[in-house]
Amino acid sequence: MNMPPHRPLTILIAGPFRSGSGDDPVRLSDNLRALEAHALPLWRAGHIPMIGEWVALPLIHAAGGTHIADGVHQDFLYPVARRLIARCDAVLRVPGESKGADQDVRLAREHGLPVYFHVDEVPVAARPHV
């Protein structure tokens, strides 16, 4: 489903979070910041950026999750991404090895959503917000 550029899109940013981190909290935080680096350019192009961890991590903490490898994390990380993809208009797949992000791309394509691989590929909304 290709959305007209005049309409702001909700765009899921998909890329490495746990991948390559060795489950080290500092690396996980670095990976999240790397994903978040794509949010402001999407916002400035008039869109609504979304990252699955922004939704999943507070849920995980509320449910008692304490470590990225515990069962609570697994109950939320991928299921949240699946629900978000069903509500988003597109996916931005950022560089880096990630089975979860690759799964997000597959699901987005199954839903007929556009998948972008660089912020510059995303159409600018008619009235971008700064």
Side-chain angles (χ1 to χ4, degrees):
M1 174 167 43
N2 209 351
M3 305 309 263
H6 68 280
R7 179 180 172 271
L9 305 174
T10 301
I11 301 175
L12 180 72
I13 301 168
F17 173 62
R18 191 172 176 196
S19 298
S21 73
D23 294 342
D24 174 45
V26 173
R27 287 183 172 170
L28 291 166
S29 181
D30 290 346
N31 285 350
L32 183 56
R33 277 196 303 277
L35 291 171
E36 290 172 340
H38 299 277
L40 185 57
L42 289 175
W43 176 261
R44 288 191 169 147
H47 304 295
I48 301 166
M50 176 54 62
I51 296 174
E53 286 76 13
W54 288 347
V55 176
L57 291 175
L59 293 170
I60 289 164
H61 294 293
T66 58
H67 186 270
I68 190 71
D70 67 25
V72 176
H73 280 73
Q74 302 316 307
D75 289 342
F76 288 94
L77 283 175
Y78 294 125
V80 163
R82 282 193 298 274
R83 288 189 192 186
L84 284 173
I85 289 169
R87 305 287 296 176
C88 287
D89 302 304
V91 169
L92 173 64
R93 174 58 164 101
V94 300
E97 185 179 328
S98 171
K99 289 180 185 178
D102 292 342
Q103 179 179 339
D104 294 344
V105 167
R106 183 183 54 76
L107 288 171
R109 288 183 170 147
E110 287 175 9
H111 285 281
L113 302 178
V115 176
Y116 303 106
F117 292 90
H118 193 278
V119 172
D120 293 342
E121 296 174 357
V122 179
V124 175
R127 295 184 199 109
H129 303 283
V130 178

